[in-house]
Amino acid sequence: MLRRKIAFLLAVFAATAGVMALQKPLFMAWYAGEAAAAGAGAAEWFEVLWHGLSLDLTVAGYVTAVPLLVMLLSLWVRLPERLWRALLTGYFALVALLTAVVFAVDLALYEHWGFRIDATVFIYLADPKEAMASVDWWLGVRQTLIAALCTAGILWLYRRTLRLFDGEPLGVRSAVPATLLFAMLAAFDFLAIRGGMGASVANISKVCFSPEAFLNHAATNPLFSLLSSLGDNEDYAAAYPFYDDRTLDANFAALRGDDPAQRPDTLLLTTRRPNIVVVILESFARTVMDEQIGGEPVMPSMQRLKGEGIWFENFFANSFRTDRGEVAVLSGYPAQTRTSIMKLPAKSRTLPSIARSLAAEGYATSFAYGGDLNFTNQAQYMYATGWQELIWQRDLRFAGADPSDWGWDDALMCDWFAQRVIDLDGAGQPFLAGLLTLSSHKPFDVPYAKFENEVLNAMAFSDECVGRMIERLKASPAWENLLVILVADHGYPYPKTLPYNVPLRHRIPMIWTGGAVRAPGVVETYGSQIDLAATLLGQLGIAHGDYAFSKDLFASEPPRKFAYYTFNDGFGVVDASGEAIWDATSDRIVSETAPGLLDVGRTMLQSTYRDLAER
């Protein structure tokens, strides 16, 4: 009997570790293109399995803990064996379901996020209806089937292990030494959970082995990645302790952009008080904007507007998500790695914002979106930071049209928004009007058929809608005193093999156009979304002393102009001299081609989190 009890526990542990290990070749096969781009041959596939085994064993240790406790109880407590089996079957069903669902969701998300699933997903599941709106029907069906098949397979395996279960209690003479033996097994199980006997406990760094981020991601156990990130970064000030306070203050003093004495060296506008339109373009990546299919540009409108207005050649997003990109654009506040300040109302409401600054100068401020502004807490953030009027899906009706799952498409919204700008101009009060587009967001459901690739087709549709909107504004009296700023909320993983942490992944377009622009031109200075606030306010002669992280790209101070961005757990910095990329998960410098940029990134990241803690 004792031999069967031990064999059962070992079988549970081995079965769990096997299931976790099997996910790795399945993941790499699913992302075969990325694996090939990372140079994954037979040796790399083996290394992914080998290095990933440490976290697989940790998860197996956690899963085995409950059966181990049951076996200990069964040594002393007599219960019907069918009851023990029923309890264990229910437990294994929960483990199988959780493992399968996490695997299926992670498999779908990685394509868009570029990292394995973690607690970030719960930010976007706070509103399940809106989260599901970005999932097309086939994707939902496909991942559900994958989860169901995996659940069935894992549960079948666990039920096989249950054949070894023996719930008969032992006599006292046998139970005492058996208890000591199981205590020893529990100690080994604890070591598996801890990640060994070394000083470092189980963490994702343990599986990192390659300079190719994809291979490290492939080795990561998704269930561990999700569960281990719960509650991350609650002590924000201690999240990235690169420098002591005095050194950090000195480093940041050379980078901050809130010097009241700053003045732009170049004036781009014909007036200090234009009416202003900010159009945040969903997922408009430079890689997509510059793409051509059969010699035809995917985004001809953006290419045309690039030559007609002021084009920012070296401009970058601060993050990979809309909520973080919006805060960077509208508040000049850097994106965080594993949290989103937009989801922290007590903190986000203290942020500066373009809307608040312009409202203080007599501007009427309004923001429009064809979807639901409650998603990711956008409405709360916008109202709290000075947007006086929000107009979104629930407020709009279009004759003969129905919204998609994500909201009203860009054709309807851009046409409506053009008329709104014209009407605001007629009202006589200076205004700031914002628009967030949405048709270039997954599921890419658009009434358009130009390219076979659904991503490029949706991007082309949005580009055409924005182009028509600009042409309509040009033909109206509103154009003469209008500044239109077109800027993406974040980049997009196009092509699919584009690594998530390199500068090109975060490169985005920004164009200033309108009748208030003095002349077209090209700006070569490096900058990112956080620099828009100070740059715009500088052109308007409005103080931007409360935007510590935002630099006026046309001011001589601070002298070093750079673009800074974050990804899941790390940062990148790029300027005219080179780049620096640092990954916090593996505590590794991914790239450093210019001196000093690594310190710039570390200073920005630590300063952001210290500021977040103090808000």
Side-chain angles (χ1 to χ4, degrees), residues 530-554:
I530 57 174
D531 300 319
L532 172 57
T535 302
L536 172 61
L537 295 175
Q539 292 295 312
L540 303 179
I542 297 174
H544 51 87
D546 49 349
Y547 296 82
F549 295 94
S550 187
K551 306 181 299 298
D552 185 341
L553 297 180
F554 297 102

Side-chain angles (χ1 to χ4, degrees), residues 111-112 283 288 298-299 439-440 442-444 451-461 492-494 496:
E111 174 184 353
H112 306 286
S283 301
V288 177
V298 171
M299 292 186 176
S439 292
S440 45
K442 199 173 182 62
F444 308 115
F451 299 112
E452 290 185 8
N453 183 297
E454 65 173 1
V455 174
L456 298 185
N457 187 66
M459 299 283 186
F461 172 72
Y492 190 82
Y494 181 85
K496 288 185 177 181

